[in-house]
Amino acid sequence: MMVEALLETKDVVKRFGGIRAVDGVSISVERGEIVGLIGPNGAGKTTLFNCITGTYTPEEGHIFFEGKEITKLPSNKIIRLGIARTWQVVRPFKKMSVIDAITTGALLRHGKIDEAREKAREVAQFLGLPEEILKKRGDEITLMQHKLVDLARALATEPKLLLIDEVGAGLRPAELNMMIETLHKINKERGTTLVVVEHIMRLVMSISKRVIVMHEGKVIAQGKPEEVSNNPQVIQAYLGIKPV
Amino acid sequence: MRASITRGPILEILILIVILAIIPLALMGNAYYELLAATVVLFSSMVVAWNIIGGYAGQLDLGAYAYMGVGGIVTAELWMKAGIPPLLGIFVGGAVSALIAILIGIPTFRFGIKEVWYALLTAALVVIFNNISRLLMGPFDYYLPPTTGFVYLKFNSYVIVYAIAASFLIIAFLVNFFVERSKMGYYFKAIREDELAAEMVGIDTRRYKLYALLLYSFLLGVMGYIYIVIAASYSYRIFDSSASLSIAIMGIIGGLGSVEGGIISSMVLRSLGEYFRSTFGSSLPGLDLLLYGAVLILIGIFQPEGISSLINKLLKRKG
Amino acid sequence: MGNKEKAVSTSAVIAIVVVVILVAVAGIYLATRGGAPSTTTSPTTTATTPKTASPTTQTNTTAYPSQIYIGLVEPLTGSYAVFGQEAQQAAQLIVDIINNQLGGIKSMGGAKLVLVTEDAGGTPESARLAAQKLISTYHVPIMLGAYVSRFTSAMAAVTEQNKVILMTDALVDSLTQQGWQYIFRVAPKSSAHGKAAVDFVLDMAKKTNTTIKTAVVLNEDSIFGTTVANGAVLELVSNGIEISSHITYPYDISDVTPIINQIKQLNADILISIPYFNDGVLLAKAIQASGLKFAFIAGAGACGYTDPDSIKAAGNAVLYYTNTYSYNPARPTEWNQKVVTMFEQRYGKLPTEGAGIIFYSLMTVYEALEKAGKMFPSDPLNPDHLRAAFLSLDLNDTNSIAAQLYPSGHIKFGPDGDNLYPQTAILQVQLVGGNLTPVVVWPEAQPGFSAIFPRPGWAPTK
Amino acid sequence: MISPSLVLQNTIDGVFLGLFYSLVAMGLALIFGVMDIINFAHGDLLMLAAYFVWLTSADLSVDPTVTALLLVPLFFLIGLSIHYSMIQPVLGKEPLIQIAVTVGLGLILQNIALAIFKAEPKAVAYSLFSFSYSIGPITLYASKLFIAVVSIVTLYVLNLFLNRTFLGLAMKSTADNREVAQLMGINAKRLYALTFGLGTALIALSASLWMTFGQVQPYLGTSFSLISWVIVAMGGLGGVTGVLYSGIIVGLAESLGSLFLTPSARMAVVYIVFFLVLWFRPRGLFGRR
């Protein structure tokens, strides 16, 4: 028997009006991997994320998580199975304190507030969020801190698979380095599988062991970072010239 | 609700109870002020109940009097038609009100109606209830029997009416208190802050919004009968759009999610409104409402988080 | 909410809450059983002794109060303010007449009346608060108000409990059918308005040889509109007139054309319409525009067609329309003429129904106070003595001013507190010197006028 | 007894009423679409404009339709001043805050009107259009016909404006996609002010038409606010046509609800239709962001 992939999509199609935003995508993610998902604007990466997390229901195709079909499940059930995500634009709980926001995530697996709060603290510490930040409200912290809180909130749900959408956007070079380290740490120390959508090539190339390239809703290449970056189809896609 | 409770809030509740207990003593047996206190406290408890759906769960519900009216009318009719004493009837009234709320809430949340659309839907609900009850009950005023007594929750003494209204306020306050410290409270607030992000930490947002609606409509349904006792008669006009709006407005002025703010704003503004009515009613009609309007605009522009955040700021500055 | 504070277990809080609720429940229960004032059977409640503004006079039973407070609760804001504000003006005028021209309450040593007014606000609760405030602050023995039926019932909850006489200017029938002890009403109740509109039309039809077989009844759907319509329907049916259609609509309707369209198909002889302000003008304009013809269009209830604002707003469209009035401003009695002139001089406008009801209601209160002073000289303001005085009144044009102000000229209360001799006057919009003017045409037309019936331009079909 | 001709008559009247409703709601749709502002004072502005019409028409004996020429520019300016004083500060804030501020504005307008004009409804007695045509069993009311025609023409001109002029296109594209509009180099601040002014000016036009047959009292706005929002919600952001069609649906629901049920329950019919539309087409009948 084949080794079961953690996440597998088969011919997933999602349309908006006449546009096929995701056009027959089949990918698979193994346990423990860090996969980079790249492609020009509008390639369908975020839409694919939305299909996986149940925000959108794909019109065609199937999505499996740990061998179980999740294509038509509602988001909350999918998250419970062990998928979490973050967004390119942070979505903080502005009027809640940081620790409360993370606790909200932890409540998924810890029904008691005290336990959840304990868990939240643990995750915050793991991500290096300083104690004084935890009491601040969501609208009182910096962008980098926001990104970490979003990550912490997602991690607090104890996911097996974490989908990270352009976490580097808007960060300064030093912050970017910290973020790269943090992602590595999440993968190594917690064993969380990561799928990272990214525009910043430095980030993708330095953390991903495997890269999947999407263009106009389709997967056009996948492989090791160095292979992919030399692929002529990929280069053409990024330059905006249609491959013949 | 297995949350651990810290000492601070208990103090808060005790203070609230003590203040509410002192009020009638302070009124020195003046029936007018007793009645006023009962009216104001009942209004406050409606605002506190609203806080669950509006303040915590962030759903701008403008249908308070729809739920309150249903509960009140059901309780009154059960007494008059079936002889069921209101002491039991108010819970049936609350349950019927909650049931109707849920029946409407399921499709509403199922189809993802939120923000202004939810506000419009609930505002329309009050008009629909008004029109339909007009068809069912006719235009007539209905009077409660003159009987008084504990099981009828009807008394000649305003102090007791006040005491009942005050216990509603305490109960509504406690429900808020437990909600805030429970998983439900965290989930409500997450939904209020960002529904999509809430989904992504595994919250069944539809179900939790229904929970909020359920608690809110049940509490209002239970309060409806006492409203009728104070108003002395009831008719389809109990379904009042502008009164429903004023409940939400008090919640907004108080500060979303702040029970204390809601209590303060509703008590102060409702009493002030009554003061203006009785003082300037004949010379400056509508002055109280005009002032509400001005307060709303000023708060919206300069203090969008309501008076509770203003109070917090002042406390911080001092402390 | 930080977790550093010392945590207390949930059960402790629940225990405290349960104890508090138990204590509260027990307290309420004990209070209701023991010390609370019982229902109206007990004669020893607080308000039974007259508490007027001059407590010094109360030590001596033979001395009378120098002032008697009379409460007035009227809607001075909101959509009924039109009536309430006029009622307030009328009440002040009558109180001044009583104090200055009639020498106060003579049987009580010339005690003067003091009018205290409260705005009923927009809700029953605020009307109740208003009534309670008058009792708590001024200990009024008698109150008037509050035009709107649900405000009035909220007031009655207070007046009944405190044994204060409520002389109401609200017309809805059911108010005097609740078994209340202290409510009185001189004004014709709403069903009498509906009946009067029909009686007028049938009387005129007989006089002018007009055949009337079918009628359409159209009313705004408030409790007032509905009860007036019920009175009209009963009278139509008992006179063998066929009701082609009975349509109700909300008074704030924005478009009446669907109603007019429906009526147009029916070809009825007469239209009995019970409007409020808005809809009355809309209807009149739409009927004019539609070319709809009736032998007669009779309004029941006091507003919508013949009041000055409606005439101003509808113009020609309301020519020859009628309304039933609880008051006859043209009644040719000495005091009626006098009061109308004084009102006109003081406020620069003719009194309409809102003022008229207060004229005779308050003047009846005056007669009752005089009577009480004679019947119970030792304790005239005792509520049960007052009640007895009201019930013993039998007023007519020769023995009282109040009756001179009332359309039927006869006031006597039945056991339910309603006047046994109700009467309304019919006003019709006519052209007087080129101006649209409301004129009293029935039961007795004002001098120099007569009812214009049927509507000019109407020709009987077939 | 409901005859086919009566149904036809009410259908026609419902469509006429609906066209008027569309015009009333159009200003709101524009403001909400372009600025994302939730305006609950829309109806109260109409009430205010109606009083202006009454003041000019009743005392100066000018037909309500003529006063529109004066009122439309006046209300454009009133709209601008409201925008700069109250709307601009809450742009982009939470819906609740916007509702609070606009409800506050509405309360102020209502109670100022109550203080100045008292509670009695005011109407203009004289109008050019107090007659009707009869075509078989059908009656066409001149004032309704006139209102319907003016509404259609206005909506058509507005549609041209939104599709043919730079300013209109700017509004339209801002409504469609805020970011793209920013890229086009549109000065958002000025555009918002102009939009609010235009929306308010449209209300003044509706008020003039309303006063050819209706009346004004301080609480007139409340029902218009709700009706306008229902139309905007049902139309989605489908532009002029979306508003037009859902206005007609509301007009028909009201008119036929009156006929088949009772006029007392007509608003229940309208709002139940609204519930069903929102439940089953949450994005409105004509699409929404």
Side-chain angles (χ1 to χ4, degrees):
Chain A
M1 226 179 112
M2 234 176 70
V3 180
E4 184 188 271
L6 182 65
L7 175 79
E8 198 170 2
T9 71
K10 277 188 182 158
D11 306 321
V12 170
V13 175
K14 176 69 198 170
R15 293 187 203 90
F16 291 110
I19 302 158
R20 291 162 86 93
V22 171
D23 193 0
V25 168
S26 303
I27 59 167
S28 111
V29 177
E30 305 300 325
R31 268 171 222 277
E33 263 194 303
I34 300 183
V35 178
L37 183 58
I38 63 170
N41 266 329
K45 302 169 308 247
T46 303
T47 310
L48 184 62
F49 270 17
N50 283 334
C51 289
I52 295 169
T53 56
T55 307
Y56 298 148
T57 310
E59 278 94 13
E60 291 169 31
H62 304 275
I63 303 172
F64 298 93
F65 184 68
E66 295 187 306
K68 184 178 187 278
E69 171 141 24
I70 59 167
T71 322
K72 287 189 171 137
L73 286 183
S75 290
N76 62 77
K77 296 223 169 97
I78 294 174
I79 305 300
R80 183 163 281 283
L81 289 173
I83 301 180
R85 72 167 294 183
T86 66
W87 290 266
Q88 174 187 3
V89 180
V90 289
R91 308 186 77 118
F93 294 161
K94 283 185 189 161
K95 285 185 199 158
M96 291 168 83
S97 69
V98 166
I99 184 71
D100 280 356
I102 305 173
T103 304
T104 309
L107 279 167
L108 183 67
R109 315 240 181 246
H110 305 271
K112 289 186 184 169
I113 303 282
D114 283 352
E115 278 177 29
R117 195 169 274 271
E118 206 56 39
K119 176 76 195 170
R121 249 169 228 291
E122 185 263 308
V123 173
Q125 257 169 18
F126 174 79
L127 290 179
L129 277 166
E131 185 71 23
E132 66 266 20
I133 296 288
L134 298 186
K135 282 187 186 157
K136 286 197 177 168
R137 272 173 31 143
D139 52 3
E140 297 171 336
I141 56 178
T142 66
L143 180 64
M144 177 66 184
Q145 286 163 346
H146 266 309
K147 299 224 167 194
L148 287 174
V149 173
D150 265 17
L151 263 179
R153 195 175 63 197
L155 272 184
T157 65
E158 297 170 43
K160 293 165 188 155
L161 172 67
L162 181 55
L163 309 175
I164 297 173
D165 199 349
E166 298 203 31
V167 73
L171 294 186
R172 284 172 288 165
E175 292 172 333
L176 200 62
N177 287 335
M178 273 172 62
M179 190 54 86
I180 291 170
E181 247 170 67
T182 307
L183 294 184
H184 267 298
K185 201 175 155 199
I186 293 171
N187 179 250
K188 268 190 200 135
E189 294 179 22
R190 300 181 90 88
T192 313
T193 309
L194 302 181
V195 177
V196 183
V197 161
E198 198 48 79
H199 267 153
I200 301 171
M201 284 303 153
R202 185 160 73 84
L203 195 149
V204 189
M205 297 306 170
S206 64
I207 66 168
S208 317
K209 298 183 183 67
R210 193 157 68 89
V211 175
I212 298 171
V213 187
M214 281 181 76
H215 180 53
E216 291 181 340
K218 291 192 169 87
V219 174
I220 55 167
Q222 47 181 313
K224 291 196 174 133
E226 53 274 23
E227 291 169 16
V228 166
S229 54
N230 293 326
N231 184 322
Q233 248 190 320
V234 174
I235 295 166
Q236 273 173 326
Y238 270 92
L239 291 175
I241 307 159
K242 279 203 172 178
V244 187
Chain B
M1 297 224 216
R2 283 158 295 177
S4 80
I5 313 295
T6 56
R7 191 171 266 176
I10 289 188
L11 203 66
E12 225 167 67
I13 294 171
L14 289 177
I15 290 172
L16 179 71
I17 292 174
V18 169
I19 292 176
L20 289 173
I22 288 174
I23 289 175
L25 295 177
L27 299 176
M28 302 285 280
N30 182 320
Y32 168 64
Y33 291 113
E34 287 168 9
L35 178 62
L36 177 59
T39 316
V40 169
V41 168
L42 184 68
F43 185 72
S44 266
S45 38
M46 288 161 73
V47 174
V48 172
W50 182 87
N51 188 59
I52 297 170
I53 190 145
Y56 290 147
Q59 305 301 306
L60 182 58
D61 195 296
L62 302 181
Y65 274 59
Y67 306 123
M68 198 209 65
V70 166
I73 290 177
V74 166
T75 310
E77 293 282 315
L78 278 177
W79 181 19
M80 303 211 292
K81 301 257 164 70
I84 296 173
L87 185 60
L88 290 178
I90 55 170
F91 298 104
V92 183
V96 171
S97 161
L99 182 72
I100 291 177
I102 292 303
L103 286 179
I104 296 161
I106 287 173
T108 302
F109 295 139
R110 162 75 183 79
F111 296 115
I113 290 160
K114 50 188 124 173
E115 291 176 355
V116 66
W117 316 113
Y118 181 80
L120 290 173
L121 219 60
T122 48
L125 190 67
V126 182
V127 181
I128 292 176
F129 277 30
N130 178 297
N131 277 214
I132 290 178
S133 63
R134 167 67 185 71
L135 289 182
L136 297 176
M137 300 163 61
F140 308 108
D141 296 326
Y142 294 84
Y143 306 92
L144 296 174
T147 331
T148 57
F150 184 58
V151 290
Y152 306 114
L153 293 177
K154 205 162 161 283
F155 312 94
N156 285 332
S157 157
Y158 294 138
V159 178
I160 303 172
V161 179
Y162 165 81
I164 294 171
S167 15
F168 283 160
L169 179 56
I170 292 169
I171 290 168
F173 187 88
L174 283 172
V175 171
N176 271 275
F177 171 78
F178 280 115
V179 162
E180 172 150 25
R181 280 152 190 82
S182 70
K183 181 171 170 178
M184 218 193 272
Y186 281 83
Y187 280 13
F188 286 172
K189 286 186 200 166
I191 291 169
R192 174 189 74 197
E193 294 299 320
D194 190 328
E195 208 173 318
L196 183 61
E199 286 267 351
M200 288 302 130
V201 291
I203 300 172
D204 187 345
T205 52
R206 267 190 238 159
R207 174 190 302 243
Y208 276 89
K209 283 196 272 188
L210 279 178
Y211 287 160
L213 183 62
L214 182 86
L215 285 172
Y216 155 73
S217 56
F218 179 78
L219 283 174
L220 278 171
V222 170
M223 290 166 195
Y225 174 74
I226 297 299
Y227 176 83
I228 289 176
V229 167
I230 293 180
S233 70
Y234 62 95
S235 67
Y236 71 101
R237 286 174 182 271
I238 198 169
F239 300 106
D240 183 338
S241 304
S242 59
S244 298
L245 185 64
S246 74
I247 298 288
I249 286 175
M250 290 303 149
I252 298 169
I253 294 182
L256 289 180
S258 160
V259 189
E260 301 84 351
I263 292 179
I264 293 171
S265 68
S266 56
M267 286 193 172
V268 169
L269 287 174
R270 185 74 176 77
S271 312
L272 219 66
E274 169 62 16
Y275 174 75
F276 282 124
R277 180 203 64 74
S278 67
T279 315
F280 303 113
S282 49
S283 48
L284 298 165
L287 183 66
D288 51 334
L289 295 170
L290 200 125
L291 284 175
Y292 274 0
V295 167
L296 273 178
I297 293 177
L298 293 177
I299 293 237
I301 293 178
F302 297 110
Q303 199 63 43
E305 285 174 25
I307 54 172
S308 65
S309 78
L310 190 70
I311 293 169
N312 283 345
K313 269 182 208 164
L314 292 176
L315 287 179
K316 265 185 197 168
R317 199 167 295 166
K318 271 190 179 176
Chain C
M1 237 198 306
N3 67 344
K4 285 203 172 166
E5 297 94 319
K6 192 186 163 194
V8 180
S9 71
T10 318
S11 49
V13 173
I14 292 173
I16 293 175
V17 168
V18 168
V19 169
V20 166
I21 290 175
L22 282 180
V23 169
V25 167
I28 293 169
Y29 183 67
L30 287 177
T32 46
R33 283 195 65 193
S38 51
T39 44
T40 50
T41 46
S42 158
T44 53
T45 45
T46 49
T48 47
T49 49
K51 286 183 183 170
T52 52
S54 47
T56 46
T57 59
Q58 281 184 23
T59 49
N60 186 342
T61 44
T62 53
Y64 298 108
S66 63
Q67 298 182 327
I68 299 168
Y69 281 104
I70 301 293
L72 178 71
V73 177
E74 289 289 343
L76 301 172
T77 56
S79 40
Y80 301 98
V82 192
F83 295 97
Q85 291 179 353
E86 207 186 275
Q88 188 189 7
Q89 295 172 334
Q92 193 56 56
L93 177 71
I94 296 296
V95 163
D96 291 347
I97 291 176
I98 292 169
N99 288 342
N100 305 332
Q101 301 195 13
L102 307 176
I105 309 297
K106 285 193 275 294
S107 70
M108 297 189 207
K112 298 277 193 263
L113 299 188
V114 179
L115 182 71
V116 276
T117 310
E118 285 274 317
D119 175 18
T123 60
E125 312 99 88
S126 53
R128 182 169 186 167
L129 278 164
Q132 185 62 57
K133 189 180 176 203
L134 290 177
I135 292 173
S136 297
T137 313
Y138 301 103
H139 307 288
V140 292
I142 297 174
M143 229 187 272
L144 287 85
Y147 193 77
V148 180
S149 72
R150 62 185 194 285
F151 297 173
T152 309
S153 33
M155 281 178 79
V158 178
T159 52
E160 285 295 306
Q161 196 187 330
N162 291 283
K163 300 195 170 189
V164 168
I165 302 288
L166 174 59
M167 169 62 80
T168 184
D169 59 349
L171 304 182
V172 169
D173 295 28
S174 60
L175 287 170
T176 50
Q177 295 159 7
Q178 303 303 316
W180 293 334
Q181 294 290 301
Y182 299 93
I183 191 165
F184 291 95
R185 173 163 61 194
V186 185
K189 57 188 177 190
S190 45
S191 57
H193 275 261
K195 182 175 181 296
V198 175
D199 288 346
F200 158 65
V201 171
L202 295 180
D203 185 36
M204 291 312 297
K206 212 160 120 193
K207 284 179 187 157
T208 57
N209 257 334
T210 314
T211 329
I212 288 171
K213 285 181 187 149
T214 55
V216 170
V217 178
L218 192 58
N219 68 278
E220 57 95 4
D221 66 0
S222 76
I223 183 166
F224 178 73
T226 308
T227 47
V228 173
N230 289 347
V233 166
L234 270 177
E235 191 68 2
L236 285 168
V237 170
S238 62
N239 282 284
I241 310 287
E242 186 198 324
I243 297 169
S244 314
S245 185
H246 181 178
I247 302 171
T248 64
Y249 58 89
Y251 77 91
D252 60 351
I253 192 165
S254 54
D255 183 20
V256 294
T257 39
I259 298 174
I260 302 300
N261 297 336
Q262 224 169 326
I263 297 174
K264 219 178 166 187
Q265 311 251 323
L266 300 169
N267 270 324
D269 296 327
I270 57 167
L271 172 68
I272 306 287
S273 161
I274 302 107
Y276 194 56
F277 285 110
N278 259 322
D279 45 318
V281 176
L282 284 180
L283 279 170
K285 282 185 173 181
I287 288 173
Q288 188 186 39
S290 72
L292 195 55
K293 295 266 191 300
F294 282 105
F296 203 75
I297 300 172
C303 59
Y305 298 132
T306 61
D307 51 288
D309 281 304
S310 297
I311 293 177
K312 204 174 157 196
N316 265 332
V318 291
L319 187 58
Y320 310 126
Y321 280 54
T322 58
N323 269 140
T324 58
Y325 255 50
S326 302
Y327 173 63
N328 182 350
R331 192 155 189 259
T333 55
E334 180 201 347
W335 269 99
N336 196 38
Q337 299 296 317
K338 212 164 158 179
V339 169
V340 169
T341 316
M342 284 175 76
F343 188 90
E344 221 180 327
Q345 277 169 357
R346 192 187 283 196
Y347 301 113
K349 62 181 180 189
L350 278 167
T352 64
E353 183 178 82
I357 299 178
I358 293 293
F359 287 163
Y360 52 70
S361 298
L362 190 48
M363 209 45 111
T364 306
V365 167
Y366 161 77
E367 308 276 3
L369 284 168
E370 283 290 5
K371 193 83 180 262
K374 282 177 197 144
M375 286 166 73
F376 309 99
S378 61
D379 188 10
L381 295 181
N382 176 306
D384 292 306
H385 293 169
L386 273 177
R387 181 167 182 271
F390 270 96
L391 286 171
S392 71
L393 290 178
D394 187 357
L395 309 174
N396 57 48
D397 281 353
T398 53
N399 70 7
S400 87
I401 300 170
Q404 289 193 18
L405 299 171
Y406 191 64
S408 74
H410 199 169
I411 298 168
K412 183 172 166 51
F413 293 107
D416 59 357
D418 250 331
N419 184 6
L420 294 171
Y421 303 95
Q423 172 84 66
T424 63
I426 306 281
L427 268 70
Q428 185 173 37
V429 181
Q430 297 190 358
L431 272 174
V432 181
N435 292 322
L436 296 166
T437 315
V439 190
V440 178
V441 293
W442 198 81
E444 38 208 62
Q446 83 190 60
F449 292 95
S450 61
I452 295 176
F453 191 100
R455 289 174 64 79
W458 175 79
T461 42
K462 286 169 227 165
Chain D
M1 186 197 68
I2 294 164
S3 64
S5 67
L6 197 53
V7 176
L8 180 63
Q9 173 81 62
N10 275 43
T11 307
I12 293 170
D13 286 331
V15 171
F16 284 179
L17 184 67
L19 287 170
F20 173 65
Y21 280 161
S22 306
L23 183 64
V24 174
M26 193 59 227
L28 186 68
L30 204 61
I31 290 169
F32 178 66
V34 175
M35 306 166 67
D36 227 356
I37 276 283
I38 296 164
N39 180 7
F40 267 39
H42 189 73
D44 299 303
L45 286 167
L46 185 134
M47 178 270 295
L48 183 71
Y51 271 116
F52 272 98
V53 177
W54 176 75
L55 279 178
T56 44
S57 300
D59 294 349
L60 307 177
S61 299
V62 185
D63 192 85
T65 49
V66 182
T67 59
L69 298 176
L70 178 74
L71 279 189
V72 169
L74 176 68
F75 266 73
F76 181 77
L77 295 178
I78 290 180
L80 284 187
S81 52
I82 291 176
H83 173 79
Y84 283 116
S85 57
M86 293 172 205
I87 303 299
Q88 188 138 297
V90 296
L91 270 173
K93 293 256 177 73
E94 282 169 54
L96 266 172
I97 299 303
Q98 299 175 354
I99 289 176
V101 168
T102 49
V103 162
L105 174 63
L107 281 174
I108 290 182
L109 292 179
Q110 277 173 25
N111 290 290
I112 287 179
L114 181 70
I116 298 176
F117 303 107
K118 304 278 179 267
E120 301 95 326
K122 311 283 188 203
V124 181
Y126 169 74
S127 166
L128 289 172
F129 301 103
S130 44
F131 58 92
S132 60
Y133 309 99
S134 285
I135 305 165
I138 305 298
T139 312
L140 290 181
Y141 296 88
S143 66
K144 297 286 168 63
L145 200 60
F146 174 74
I147 289 168
V149 169
V150 173
S151 299
I152 285 201
V153 169
T154 312
L155 292 176
Y156 180 73
V157 170
L158 195 70
N159 200 24
L160 283 184
F161 167 76
L162 288 176
N163 287 306
R164 298 283 166 80
T165 65
F166 177 75
L167 190 60
L169 281 169
M171 286 180 184
K172 214 180 134 185
S173 50
T174 309
D176 288 342
N177 189 331
R178 196 138 303 145
E179 281 136 39
V180 172
Q182 306 277 331
L183 293 177
M184 281 169 65
I186 292 162
N187 179 342
K189 272 195 174 174
R190 241 182 64 206
L191 183 74
Y192 287 168
L194 288 175
T195 307
F196 202 87
L198 181 62
T200 317
L202 280 172
I203 298 174
L205 183 60
S206 336
S208 304
L209 294 177
W210 168 254
M211 290 305 279
T212 60
F213 72 102
Q215 297 186 78
V216 54
Q217 34 90 15
Y219 312 106
L220 176 73
T222 323
S223 55
F224 272 117
S225 285
L226 201 49
I227 282 273
S228 305
W229 269 110
V230 164
I231 292 169
V232 173
M234 286 187 3
L237 290 182
V240 175
T241 40
V243 171
L244 185 68
Y245 289 133
S246 46
I248 290 173
I249 290 173
V250 168
L252 280 175
E254 182 171 336
S255 175
L256 295 176
S258 291
L259 178 65
F260 287 105
L261 216 53
T262 145
S264 299
R266 77 200 196 289
M267 288 332 278
V269 176
V270 170
Y271 292 133
I272 287 171
V273 168
F274 168 57
F275 258 78
L276 295 177
V277 167
L278 220 56
W279 277 351
F280 296 108
R281 296 292 299 267
R283 285 160 186 274
L285 290 172
F286 305 94
R288 185 192 312 149
R289 257 175 299 164

